[in-house]
Amino acid sequence: MTKIDYRLNAIVDASLADVAPLSQLAVIAAHHGATIIQYRDKTASTRQMIEQAATIKDALKGTGVPLVINDRLDVAMAMGADGVHLGADDMDPETARRLLGPDAIIGLTIKSMGDALRVAKASADYACIGGVFETTSKINPDMPVGLAGLRELRTYLRDE
């Protein structure tokens, strides 16, 4: 598995495109402490995502900050991203690892204790707990875990 500094996972979401170009936002995040950039777009076509992700990756050259693609292994593979971030309904991490290779970054989302149990046994480099609070950046059918849920899930994962 890849050693990664995952302290600040900045999500560059397509909904931010009206603020500034996503590649510019990714570079700003990288220059201000983000240690990994996650590109997320829940509505674009595959072609649009590949083009956007390639633009972001090109902008990040020289920063040392890796780019992972949210949910879409096909996009990550097509544009040569550093890895992929997967939710519970996405491809399993073992298949993603097999397809992307041993050096790819595989990240997972944890929204419940069931997810934590699955993630503890998975071939992943990092996991993100959340959302902790409600967000307006995407439609989320899951309730936020809150601070108590964050504490419980973090404690479980640390003890595993």
Side-chain angles (χ1 to χ4, degrees):
M1 282 190 253
T2 303
K3 178 131 173 93
I4 179 170
D5 179 352
Y6 55 86
R7 288 175 291 168
L8 183 55
N9 183 338
I11 299 175
V12 179
D13 189 272
S15 67
L16 299 172
D18 60 338
V19 174
L22 298 185
S23 57
Q24 182 180 347
L25 295 175
V27 169
I28 290 169
H31 287 299
H32 288 88
T35 56
I36 184 170
I37 303 291
Q38 182 183 149
Y39 167 49
R40 177 175 71 195
D41 192 330
K42 299 290 188 178
T43 61
S45 71
T46 301
R47 178 178 302 213
Q48 290 168 326
M49 282 191 73
I50 291 168
E51 290 170 359
Q52 183 66 256
T55 301
I56 294 168
K57 182 179 179 184
D58 189 52
L60 288 172
K61 282 183 184 167
T63 66
V65 177
L67 173 65
V68 297
I69 309 301
N70 183 267
D71 297 340
R72 299 288 305 272
L73 181 89
D74 58 333
V75 172
M77 290 176 72
M79 56 72 53
D82 297 293
V84 66
H85 184 92
L86 303 168
D89 294 332
D90 298 324
M91 180 178 292
D92 66 274
E94 288 72 24
T95 301
R97 171 77 60 213
R98 183 173 49 77
L99 293 170
L100 288 175
D103 297 328
I105 299 167
I106 308 289
L108 303 174
T109 299
I110 299 172
K111 296 181 179 186
S112 66
M113 188 55 75
D115 289 345
L117 294 168
R118 177 181 52 82
V119 166
K121 296 175 175 77
S123 172
D125 297 291
Y126 73 92
C128 294
I129 299 171
V132 177
F133 305 106
E134 287 189 46
T135 181
T136 58
S137 70
K138 69 174 188 171
I139 296 171
N140 194 351
D142 301 304
M143 291 295 298
V145 299
L147 292 175
L150 173 64
R151 192 174 303 109
E152 176 187 17
L153 293 167
R154 182 174 173 246
T155 299
Y156 170 78
L157 291 169
R158 284 200 160 182
D159 292 345
E160 258 318 283

